[in-house]
Amino acid sequence: MGFSVRVLFSSLYLLCFCFCFCVCFCFLFCRSVPVEQIRAVLGDLKGGDTSSWDTSGSHPCSWVGVLCNNSSNSDGDVDVMKLSLSGYGLHGFISSNISLLAQTLSSLDLSNNSLSGAIPPSLSDCLALSYLNLSTNKLSGSIPASLGEMKDLQTLDLSQNELIGSIPDRIIKNLDSLQILILDSNHLNGSIPSDLSSLTALTQLSLAKNSISGLIPDMSSLSSLETFSAYQNSLSGPIPGMGLPKLHSVNLASNLLVDEIPKNLCDSKQLKVLVLSNNGLTGHIPEELGSCSTLQNLRLSWNSLDGSIPESFGQLENLVYFEANHNGLSGEIPLNISSWKNLSLLNLAHNSLEGNIPSQLGLASSLEELLLSGNRFSGSIPIEILQCKNLNVLDLSVNGLNGSLPDTLCSLPKLTNLQLESNFFSGSIPSSIGSCSELLELQLGDNELEGNIPASIGNLVNLQVSLNLSLNRLSGN
């Protein structure tokens, strides 16, 4: 009896040893793929710059876009490490035979082509993939939940396709190594999975231009996140606190977001882009945003914000774009904006701002567009603004401005749009107006201008948009 048991255990031990040996041997030496199978994988990709793909003769590792290791086994089988076929003008579909490369394929880039059909679920068999880019194609159907099994995946880009359905929970929950997730410009719906916080290695999250709805989940654990883009969706509710140490870009424009702008957005001290326009945000612009010394692009237009522009904004010396038009802002523009020397665009139109237009704006030597229409500004046009030699759009219409039009108004060599209508400007139109040679639009209507229309207006040969001098006291031809 004892002898039989020992024989049985010895046999089982030998069997287990042989099994493990075979598995290890196969893992080490059987990972290579026969040439015929490589041809099967690429056979469904048509057209484009694939003249080197001689499926009957040449070796696949010599084909354009196919990268193998430097060795092959005695049968001529090879390890395909990367398929880099971005922008090769390919059409057709991704073959389910892609799984034949499962053991060795680490990078697959089929972006910028015209591939159609669904993403094959068998793609998830490629467990060695760390980079997957299928963007800018015509792929349809839903995102296979099985992609969540690709544990080594670091980059997943499926943007600019025709994908539908929701973002699979398994992708968000299981891909611990994921650093870049780009799904924008599809037809995705549903909500952002609540397990988003588990992607602690994530640096870039782009979900823009879809139909994603619901709340933005908690993101406080995403300490590596640098870019979050989810504009043009149907996200609702408040913006969660995002005091993330590496965050430098947030774009949540054109959603249904409400409540106040979080005060801790600048905790990272690296924020450069904050775009929250076209939502339902309320309350004051946080004073804390003035501590974002790196901020370059701030767009808050088309909300229901009130209160004044924070005095702390005078510290934003790197600011290039500032839009807060179509809100309910009141008070005056802070006088300490002389630090805005890099400012290119200032759009505060359609608010309830008042007082004089600050002469300090003349220090913004890079200013190209100044849009202050539809407010309650008074006083005259500050002559200092005419020092902004890059200015091409000046819109001060629908305010309470008065005084005469400056003789040096056309000292702005790049001015293309001059809109001063619906104010209380008086006096005559300066004859120097004819030297605004680049003007496409001139709006001086609904003021208190008088005297003769200067003949030099006839020199404005580039006027294409409109010329409006109506509702004044002008005379002449």
Side-chain angles (χ1 to χ4, degrees), residues 137-142 158 160-164 185-187:
N137 280 287
K138 300 176 181 179
L139 299 173
S140 57
S142 59
L158 306 178
Q160 299 189 59
N161 279 288
E162 300 172 8
L163 300 173
I164 61 173
S185 302
N186 280 287
H187 306 294

Side-chain angles (χ1 to χ4, degrees), residues 47-77:
D49 185 16
T50 59
S51 57
S52 66
W53 292 10
D54 179 7
T55 56
S56 62
S58 63
H59 197 285
C61 291
S62 67
W63 296 354
V64 64
V66 180
L67 180 65
C68 305
N69 67 2
N70 294 324
S71 62
S72 62
N73 62 23
S74 58
D75 296 325
D77 299 343

Side-chain angles (χ1 to χ4, degrees), residues 92-153:
F93 57 92
I94 303 172
S95 173
S96 59
N97 290 324
I98 192 70
S99 60
L100 297 175
L101 306 180
Q103 294 296 325
T104 60
L105 191 64
S106 63
S107 176
L108 177 60
D109 188 353
L110 299 176
S111 61
N112 295 291
N113 286 292
S114 298
L115 301 176
S116 57
I119 300 173
S122 59
L123 185 59
S124 62
D125 293 337
C126 298
L127 298 180
L129 269 183
S130 61
Y131 181 87
L132 176 58
N133 189 346
L134 306 179
S135 64
T136 317
N137 280 287
K138 300 176 181 179
L139 299 173
S140 57
S142 59
I143 301 173
S146 58
L147 296 185
E149 303 303 318
M150 304 164 73
K151 299 288 188 179
D152 292 334
L153 202 60

Side-chain angles (χ1 to χ4, degrees), residues 47-328:
D49 185 16
T50 59
S51 57
S52 66
W53 292 10
D54 179 7
T55 56
S56 62
S58 63
H59 197 285
C61 291
S62 67
W63 296 354
V64 64
V66 180
L67 180 65
C68 305
N69 67 2
N70 294 324
S71 62
S72 62
N73 62 23
S74 58
D75 296 325
D77 299 343
V78 293
D79 291 348
V80 178
M81 311 300 292
K82 295 182 179 180
L83 293 179
S84 299
L85 300 169
S86 177
Y88 277 87
L90 300 174
H91 57 87
F93 57 92
I94 303 172
S95 173
S96 59
N97 290 324
I98 192 70
S99 60
L100 297 175
L101 306 180
Q103 294 296 325
T104 60
L105 191 64
S106 63
S107 176
L108 177 60
D109 188 353
L110 299 176
S111 61
N112 295 291
N113 286 292
S114 298
L115 301 176
S116 57
I119 300 173
S122 59
L123 185 59
S124 62
D125 293 337
C126 298
L127 298 180
L129 269 183
S130 61
Y131 181 87
L132 176 58
N133 189 346
L134 306 179
S135 64
T136 317
N137 280 287
K138 300 176 181 179
L139 299 173
S140 57
S142 59
I143 301 173
S146 58
L147 296 185
E149 303 303 318
M150 304 164 73
K151 299 288 188 179
D152 292 334
L153 202 60
Q154 297 178 11
T155 297
L156 176 59
D157 188 350
L158 306 178
S159 61
Q160 299 189 59
N161 279 288
E162 300 172 8
L163 300 173
I164 61 173
S166 59
I167 303 171
D169 290 338
R170 284 168 61 186
I171 288 181
I172 300 298
K173 188 174 183 180
N174 295 350
L175 300 182
D176 298 336
S177 301
L178 198 62
Q179 298 176 15
I180 298 175
L181 178 59
I182 307 177
L183 303 176
D184 60 84
S185 302
N186 280 287
H187 306 294
L188 300 175
N189 54 29
S191 59
I192 302 175
S194 58
D195 288 321
L196 180 67
S197 59
S198 65
L199 298 180
T200 54
L202 203 63
T203 62
Q204 180 179 352
L205 175 61
S206 182
L207 308 174
K209 294 186 177 181
N210 282 289
S211 299
I212 300 171
S213 58
L215 303 177
I216 300 175
D218 175 50
M219 303 176 68
S220 58
S221 63
L222 303 184
S223 58
S224 298
L225 192 65
E226 299 175 1
T227 303
F228 177 36
S229 175
Y231 61 91
Q232 291 186 30
N233 278 287
S234 298
L235 296 169
S236 58
I239 301 172
M242 294 184 190
L244 305 175
K246 298 182 179 180
L247 193 65
H248 65 69
S249 178
V250 177
N251 190 340
L252 300 175
S254 300
N255 279 286
L256 304 172
L257 299 170
V258 296
D259 290 349
E260 298 184 349
I261 299 172
K263 297 179 179 180
N264 66 344
L265 284 172
C266 289
D267 285 359
S268 71
K269 306 300 181 184
Q270 297 187 38
L271 193 67
K272 294 182 179 180
V273 177
L274 179 60
V275 182
L276 304 176
S277 52
N278 198 19
N279 279 287
L281 300 174
T282 56
H284 295 1
I285 300 175
E287 189 82 24
E288 289 79 1
L289 285 182
S291 67
C292 294
S293 59
T294 56
L295 198 60
Q296 299 176 3
N297 188 349
L298 177 60
R299 301 182 190 252
L300 307 174
S301 58
W302 292 94
N303 280 288
S304 298
L305 300 171
D306 55 26
S308 60
I309 299 171
E311 289 284 338
S312 63
F313 274 29
Q315 305 171 37
L316 300 178
E317 58 184 20
N318 292 305
L319 199 61
V320 178
Y321 306 105
F322 180 26
E323 287 184 338
N325 54 291
H326 291 88
N327 279 287

